[in-house]
PDB file of all heavy atoms in Angstrom:
ATOM      1  N   ARG T 204       3.653 -12.456   4.262  1.00 98.00           N
ATOM      2  CA  ARG T 204       4.483 -13.398   3.499  1.00 98.00           C
ATOM      3  C   ARG T 204       4.999 -12.735   2.225  1.00 98.00           C
ATOM      4  O   ARG T 204       6.155 -12.871   1.853  1.00 98.00           O
ATOM      5  CB  ARG T 204       3.676 -14.650   3.144  1.00 98.00           C
ATOM      6  CG  ARG T 204       3.359 -15.572   4.297  1.00 98.00           C
ATOM      7  CD  ARG T 204       4.623 -16.039   5.044  1.00 98.00           C
ATOM      8  NE  ARG T 204       5.606 -16.645   4.155  1.00 98.00           N
ATOM      9  CZ  ARG T 204       6.905 -16.411   4.235  1.00 98.00           C
ATOM     10  NH1 ARG T 204       7.394 -15.579   5.140  1.00 98.00           N
ATOM     11  NH2 ARG T 204       7.738 -17.022   3.411  1.00 98.00           N
ATOM     12  N   TYR T 205       4.103 -12.038   1.539  1.00 98.00           N
ATOM     13  CA  TYR T 205       4.502 -11.316   0.327  1.00 98.00           C
ATOM     14  C   TYR T 205       5.604 -10.303   0.626  1.00 98.00           C
ATOM     15  O   TYR T 205       6.598 -10.203  -0.102  1.00 98.00           O
ATOM     16  CB  TYR T 205       3.283 -10.626  -0.287  1.00 98.00           C
ATOM     17  CG  TYR T 205       3.512  -9.214  -0.767  1.00 98.00           C
ATOM     18  CD1 TYR T 205       4.195  -8.949  -1.951  1.00 98.00           C
ATOM     19  CD2 TYR T 205       3.043  -8.122  -0.014  1.00 98.00           C
ATOM     20  CE1 TYR T 205       4.395  -7.643  -2.378  1.00 98.00           C
ATOM     21  CE2 TYR T 205       3.238  -6.827  -0.440  1.00 98.00           C
ATOM     22  CZ  TYR T 205       3.924  -6.580  -1.625  1.00 98.00           C
ATOM     23  OH  TYR T 205       4.134  -5.286  -2.038  1.00 98.00           O
ATOM     24  N   ALA T 206       5.431  -9.524   1.716  1.00 98.00           N
ATOM     25  CA  ALA T 206       6.413  -8.487   2.051  1.00 98.00           C
ATOM     26  C   ALA T 206       7.780  -9.088   2.320  1.00 98.00           C
ATOM     27  O   ALA T 206       8.814  -8.560   1.879  1.00 98.00           O
ATOM     28  CB  ALA T 206       5.929  -7.692   3.265  1.00 98.00           C
ATOM     29  N   SER T 207       7.807 -10.202   3.029  1.00 98.00           N
ATOM     30  CA  SER T 207       9.070 -10.875   3.330  1.00 98.00           C
ATOM     31  C   SER T 207       9.755 -11.359   2.056  1.00 98.00           C
ATOM     32  O   SER T 207      10.963 -11.182   1.863  1.00 98.00           O
ATOM     33  CB  SER T 207       8.812 -12.046   4.286  1.00 98.00           C
ATOM     34  OG  SER T 207      10.000 -12.743   4.560  1.00 98.00           O
ATOM     35  N   ILE T 208       8.984 -11.968   1.169  1.00 98.00           N
ATOM     36  CA  ILE T 208       9.538 -12.492  -0.085  1.00 98.00           C
ATOM     37  C   ILE T 208      10.026 -11.362  -0.977  1.00 98.00           C
ATOM     38  O   ILE T 208      11.096 -11.451  -1.592  1.00 98.00           O
ATOM     39  CB  ILE T 208       8.474 -13.350  -0.807  1.00 98.00           C
ATOM     40  CG1 ILE T 208       8.168 -14.613   0.010  1.00 98.00           C
ATOM     41  CG2 ILE T 208       8.938 -13.735  -2.210  1.00 98.00           C
ATOM     42  CD1 ILE T 208       6.926 -15.362  -0.439  1.00 98.00           C
ATOM     43  N   ALA T 209       9.251 -10.285  -1.059  1.00 98.00           N
ATOM     44  CA  ALA T 209       9.650  -9.146  -1.890  1.00 98.00           C
ATOM     45  C   ALA T 209      10.972  -8.554  -1.403  1.00 98.00           C
ATOM     46  O   ALA T 209      11.896  -8.306  -2.195  1.00 98.00           O
ATOM     47  CB  ALA T 209       8.554  -8.080  -1.885  1.00 98.00           C
ATOM     48  N   GLN T 210      11.079  -8.317  -0.093  1.00 98.00           N
ATOM     49  CA  GLN T 210      12.320  -7.756   0.442  1.00 98.00           C
ATOM     50  C   GLN T 210      13.510  -8.680   0.201  1.00 98.00           C
ATOM     51  O   GLN T 210      14.614  -8.220  -0.085  1.00 98.00           O
ATOM     52  CB  GLN T 210      12.167  -7.475   1.937  1.00 98.00           C
ATOM     53  CG  GLN T 210      11.311  -6.265   2.251  1.00 98.00           C
ATOM     54  CD  GLN T 210      11.380  -5.857   3.708  1.00 98.00           C
ATOM     55  OE1 GLN T 210      11.742  -6.643   4.579  1.00 98.00           O
ATOM     56  NE2 GLN T 210      11.018  -4.608   3.985  1.00 98.00           N
ATOM     57  N   ASP T 211      13.283  -9.965   0.296  1.00 97.00           N
ATOM     58  CA  ASP T 211      14.355 -10.935   0.093  1.00 97.00           C
ATOM     59  C   ASP T 211      14.889 -10.895  -1.334  1.00 97.00           C
ATOM     60  O   ASP T 211      15.982 -11.383  -1.605  1.00 97.00           O
ATOM     61  CB  ASP T 211      13.850 -12.338   0.425  1.00 97.00           C
ATOM     62  CG  ASP T 211      14.981 -13.307   0.735  1.00 97.00           C
ATOM     63  OD1 ASP T 211      15.918 -12.920   1.459  1.00 97.00           O
ATOM     64  OD2 ASP T 211      14.932 -14.451   0.248  1.00 97.00           O
ATOM     65  N   ASN T 212      14.111 -10.292  -2.238  1.00 98.00           N
ATOM     66  CA  ASN T 212      14.524 -10.204  -3.638  1.00 98.00           C
ATOM     67  C   ASN T 212      14.732  -8.763  -4.102  1.00 98.00           C
ATOM     68  O   ASN T 212      14.728  -8.484  -5.297  1.00 98.00           O
ATOM     69  CB  ASN T 212      13.492 -10.907  -4.519  1.00 98.00           C
ATOM     70  CG  ASN T 212      13.529 -12.414  -4.356  1.00 98.00           C
ATOM     71  OD1 ASN T 212      14.359 -13.094  -4.954  1.00 98.00           O
ATOM     72  ND2 ASN T 212      12.639 -12.938  -3.524  1.00 98.00           N
ATOM     73  N   GLY T 213      14.907  -7.854  -3.135  1.00 98.00           N
ATOM     74  CA  GLY T 213      15.303  -6.491  -3.461  1.00 98.00           C
ATOM     75  C   GLY T 213      14.199  -5.507  -3.742  1.00 98.00           C
ATOM     76  O   GLY T 213      14.470  -4.367  -4.127  1.00 98.00           O
ATOM     77  N   LEU T 214      12.934  -5.913  -3.564  1.00 98.00           N
ATOM     78  CA  LEU T 214      11.812  -5.012  -3.849  1.00 98.00           C
ATOM     79  C   LEU T 214      11.186  -4.489  -2.564  1.00 98.00           C
ATOM     80  O   LEU T 214      10.878  -5.273  -1.658  1.00 98.00           O
ATOM     81  CB  LEU T 214      10.738  -5.740  -4.665  1.00 98.00           C
ATOM     82  CG  LEU T 214      11.161  -6.327  -6.015  1.00 98.00           C
ATOM     83  CD1 LEU T 214       9.969  -7.012  -6.680  1.00 98.00           C
ATOM     84  CD2 LEU T 214      11.742  -5.253  -6.929  1.00 98.00           C
ATOM     85  N   VAL T 215      10.992  -3.178  -2.479  1.00 98.00           N
ATOM     86  CA  VAL T 215      10.266  -2.588  -1.353  1.00 98.00           C
ATOM     87  C   VAL T 215       8.791  -2.959  -1.487  1.00 98.00           C
ATOM     88  O   VAL T 215       8.166  -2.641  -2.502  1.00 98.00           O
ATOM     89  CB  VAL T 215      10.422  -1.052  -1.341  1.00 98.00           C
ATOM     90  CG1 VAL T 215       9.447  -0.412  -0.346  1.00 98.00           C
ATOM     91  CG2 VAL T 215      11.849  -0.664  -1.008  1.00 98.00           C
ATOM     92  N   PRO T 216       8.211  -3.630  -0.504  1.00 98.00           N
ATOM     93  CA  PRO T 216       6.804  -4.009  -0.622  1.00 98.00           C
ATOM     94  C   PRO T 216       5.861  -2.894  -0.194  1.00 98.00           C
ATOM     95  O   PRO T 216       6.027  -2.302   0.868  1.00 98.00           O
ATOM     96  CB  PRO T 216       6.682  -5.204   0.331  1.00 98.00           C
ATOM     97  CG  PRO T 216       7.749  -4.975   1.361  1.00 98.00           C
ATOM     98  CD  PRO T 216       8.862  -4.206   0.685  1.00 98.00           C
ATOM     99  N   ILE T 217       4.881  -2.601  -1.045  1.00 98.00           N
ATOM    100  CA  ILE T 217       3.765  -1.756  -0.629  1.00 98.00           C
ATOM    101  C   ILE T 217       2.736  -2.688  -0.001  1.00 98.00           C
ATOM    102  O   ILE T 217       2.296  -3.652  -0.624  1.00 98.00           O
ATOM    103  CB  ILE T 217       3.147  -1.003  -1.804  1.00 98.00           C
ATOM    104  CG1 ILE T 217       4.102   0.094  -2.299  1.00 98.00           C
ATOM    105  CG2 ILE T 217       1.814  -0.385  -1.415  1.00 98.00           C
ATOM    106  CD1 ILE T 217       3.551   0.915  -3.448  1.00 98.00           C
ATOM    107  N   VAL T 218       2.370  -2.410   1.230  1.00 98.00           N
ATOM    108  CA  VAL T 218       1.424  -3.246   1.985  1.00 98.00           C
ATOM    109  C   VAL T 218       0.046  -2.596   1.889  1.00 98.00           C
ATOM    110  O   VAL T 218      -0.157  -1.494   2.390  1.00 98.00           O
ATOM    111  CB  VAL T 218       1.886  -3.390   3.445  1.00 98.00           C
ATOM    112  CG1 VAL T 218       0.903  -4.233   4.239  1.00 98.00           C
ATOM    113  CG2 VAL T 218       3.289  -4.011   3.494  1.00 98.00           C
ATOM    114  N   GLU T 219      -0.896  -3.297   1.246  1.00 98.00           N
ATOM    115  CA  GLU T 219      -2.187  -2.686   0.932  1.00 98.00           C
ATOM    116  C   GLU T 219      -3.370  -3.592   1.307  1.00 98.00           C
ATOM    117  O   GLU T 219      -3.846  -4.365   0.476  1.00 98.00           O
ATOM    118  CB  GLU T 219      -2.272  -2.345  -0.562  1.00 98.00           C
ATOM    119  CG  GLU T 219      -3.587  -1.682  -0.949  1.00 98.00           C
ATOM    120  CD  GLU T 219      -3.716  -1.408  -2.440  1.00 98.00           C
ATOM    121  OE1 GLU T 219      -2.774  -1.722  -3.190  1.00 98.00           O
ATOM    122  OE2 GLU T 219      -4.767  -0.892  -2.857  1.00 98.00           O
ATOM    123  N   PRO T 220      -3.874  -3.468   2.528  1.00 97.00           N
ATOM    124  CA  PRO T 220      -5.150  -4.115   2.842  1.00 97.00           C
ATOM    125  C   PRO T 220      -6.276  -3.096   2.658  1.00 97.00           C
ATOM    126  O   PRO T 220      -6.597  -2.343   3.569  1.00 97.00           O
ATOM    127  CB  PRO T 220      -4.989  -4.493   4.319  1.00 97.00           C
ATOM    128  CG  PRO T 220      -4.066  -3.436   4.865  1.00 97.00           C
ATOM    129  CD  PRO T 220      -3.244  -2.893   3.727  1.00 97.00           C
ATOM    130  N   GLU T 221      -6.852  -3.054   1.472  1.00 96.00           N
ATOM    131  CA  GLU T 221      -7.858  -2.029   1.192  1.00 96.00           C
ATOM    132  C   GLU T 221      -9.167  -2.349   1.908  1.00 96.00           C
ATOM    133  O   GLU T 221      -9.738  -3.424   1.726  1.00 96.00           O
ATOM    134  CB  GLU T 221      -8.123  -1.909  -0.310  1.00 96.00           C
ATOM    135  CG  GLU T 221      -9.190  -0.877  -0.629  1.00 96.00           C
ATOM    136  CD  GLU T 221      -9.422  -0.653  -2.119  1.00 96.00           C
ATOM    137  OE1 GLU T 221      -8.684  -1.242  -2.930  1.00 96.00           O
ATOM    138  OE2 GLU T 221     -10.348   0.097  -2.456  1.00 96.00           O
ATOM    139  N   ILE T 222      -9.627  -1.411   2.713  1.00 95.00           N
ATOM    140  CA  ILE T 222     -10.934  -1.536   3.348  1.00 95.00           C
ATOM    141  C   ILE T 222     -11.925  -0.849   2.419  1.00 95.00           C
ATOM    142  O   ILE T 222     -11.908   0.367   2.252  1.00 95.00           O
ATOM    143  CB  ILE T 222     -10.932  -0.908   4.755  1.00 95.00           C
ATOM    144  CG1 ILE T 222      -9.926  -1.668   5.634  1.00 95.00           C
ATOM    145  CG2 ILE T 222     -12.326  -0.954   5.365  1.00 95.00           C
ATOM    146  CD1 ILE T 222      -9.673  -1.040   6.975  1.00 95.00           C
ATOM    147  N   LEU T 223     -12.748  -1.656   1.779  1.00 93.00           N
ATOM    148  CA  LEU T 223     -13.614  -1.164   0.713  1.00 93.00           C
ATOM    149  C   LEU T 223     -14.603  -0.118   1.224  1.00 93.00           C
ATOM    150  O   LEU T 223     -15.048  -0.166   2.371  1.00 93.00           O
ATOM    151  CB  LEU T 223     -14.367  -2.330   0.078  1.00 93.00           C
ATOM    152  CG  LEU T 223     -13.484  -3.394  -0.599  1.00 93.00           C
ATOM    153  CD1 LEU T 223     -14.324  -4.593  -1.013  1.00 93.00           C
ATOM    154  CD2 LEU T 223     -12.751  -2.818  -1.809  1.00 93.00           C
ATOM    155  N   LEU T 224     -14.977   0.797   0.328  1.00 88.00           N
ATOM    156  CA  LEU T 224     -15.941   1.840   0.668  1.00 88.00           C
ATOM    157  C   LEU T 224     -17.375   1.316   0.737  1.00 88.00           C
ATOM    158  O   LEU T 224     -18.259   1.996   1.246  1.00 88.00           O
ATOM    159  CB  LEU T 224     -15.886   2.961  -0.369  1.00 88.00           C
ATOM    160  CG  LEU T 224     -14.731   3.975  -0.271  1.00 88.00           C
ATOM    161  CD1 LEU T 224     -14.794   4.923  -1.466  1.00 88.00           C
ATOM    162  CD2 LEU T 224     -14.795   4.754   1.025  1.00 88.00           C
ATOM    163  N   ASP T 225     -17.607   0.110   0.222  1.00 89.00           N
ATOM    164  CA  ASP T 225     -18.963  -0.442   0.178  1.00 89.00           C
ATOM    165  C   ASP T 225     -19.609  -0.444   1.560  1.00 89.00           C
ATOM    166  O   ASP T 225     -18.969  -0.799   2.551  1.00 89.00           O
ATOM    167  CB  ASP T 225     -18.921  -1.885  -0.351  1.00 89.00           C
ATOM    168  CG  ASP T 225     -18.267  -1.993  -1.717  1.00 89.00           C
ATOM    169  OD1 ASP T 225     -17.103  -1.580  -1.832  1.00 89.00           O
ATOM    170  OD2 ASP T 225     -18.913  -2.492  -2.645  1.00 89.00           O
ATOM    171  N   GLY T 226     -20.892  -0.059   1.616  1.00 91.00           N
ATOM    172  CA  GLY T 226     -21.631  -0.129   2.872  1.00 91.00           C
ATOM    173  C   GLY T 226     -22.232   1.204   3.285  1.00 91.00           C
ATOM    174  O   GLY T 226     -21.911   2.257   2.725  1.00 91.00           O
ATOM    175  N   ASP T 227     -23.108   1.134   4.288  1.00 92.00           N
ATOM    176  CA  ASP T 227     -23.760   2.346   4.803  1.00 92.00           C
ATOM    177  C   ASP T 227     -23.339   2.644   6.238  1.00 92.00           C
ATOM    178  O   ASP T 227     -24.027   3.345   6.964  1.00 92.00           O
ATOM    179  CB  ASP T 227     -25.284   2.213   4.723  1.00 92.00           C
ATOM    180  CG  ASP T 227     -25.807   1.032   5.532  1.00 92.00           C
ATOM    181  OD1 ASP T 227     -24.984   0.307   6.159  1.00 92.00           O
ATOM    182  OD2 ASP T 227     -27.035   0.817   5.540  1.00 92.00           O
ATOM    183  N   HIS T 228     -22.201   2.124   6.662  1.00 95.00           N
ATOM    184  CA  HIS T 228     -21.720   2.269   8.033  1.00 95.00           C
ATOM    185  C   HIS T 228     -21.141   3.666   8.286  1.00 95.00           C
ATOM    186  O   HIS T 228     -20.748   4.379   7.357  1.00 95.00           O
ATOM    187  CB  HIS T 228     -20.641   1.211   8.326  1.00 95.00           C
ATOM    188  CG  HIS T 228     -19.571   1.164   7.276  1.00 95.00           C
ATOM    189  ND1 HIS T 228     -19.701   0.434   6.103  1.00 95.00           N
ATOM    190  CD2 HIS T 228     -18.359   1.767   7.194  1.00 95.00           C
ATOM    191  CE1 HIS T 228     -18.613   0.587   5.358  1.00 95.00           C
ATOM    192  NE2 HIS T 228     -17.783   1.398   6.001  1.00 95.00           N
ATOM    193  N   ALA T 229     -21.096   4.028   9.562  1.00 95.00           N
ATOM    194  CA  ALA T 229     -20.560   5.327   9.972  1.00 95.00           C
ATOM    195  C   ALA T 229     -19.032   5.301   9.989  1.00 95.00           C
ATOM    196  O   ALA T 229     -18.403   4.222   9.970  1.00 95.00           O
ATOM    197  CB  ALA T 229     -21.087   5.691  11.362  1.00 95.00           C
TER     198      ALA T 229
END
Side-chain angles (χ1 to χ4, degrees):
R204 289 304 306 138
Y205 137 76
S207 178
I208 294 167
Q210 286 191 339
D211 201 43
N212 289 278
L214 301 180
V215 169
I217 289 181
V218 179
E219 181 183 359
E221 179 176 355
I222 298 172
L223 298 172
L224 282 175
D225 303 58
D227 60 0
H228 50 276

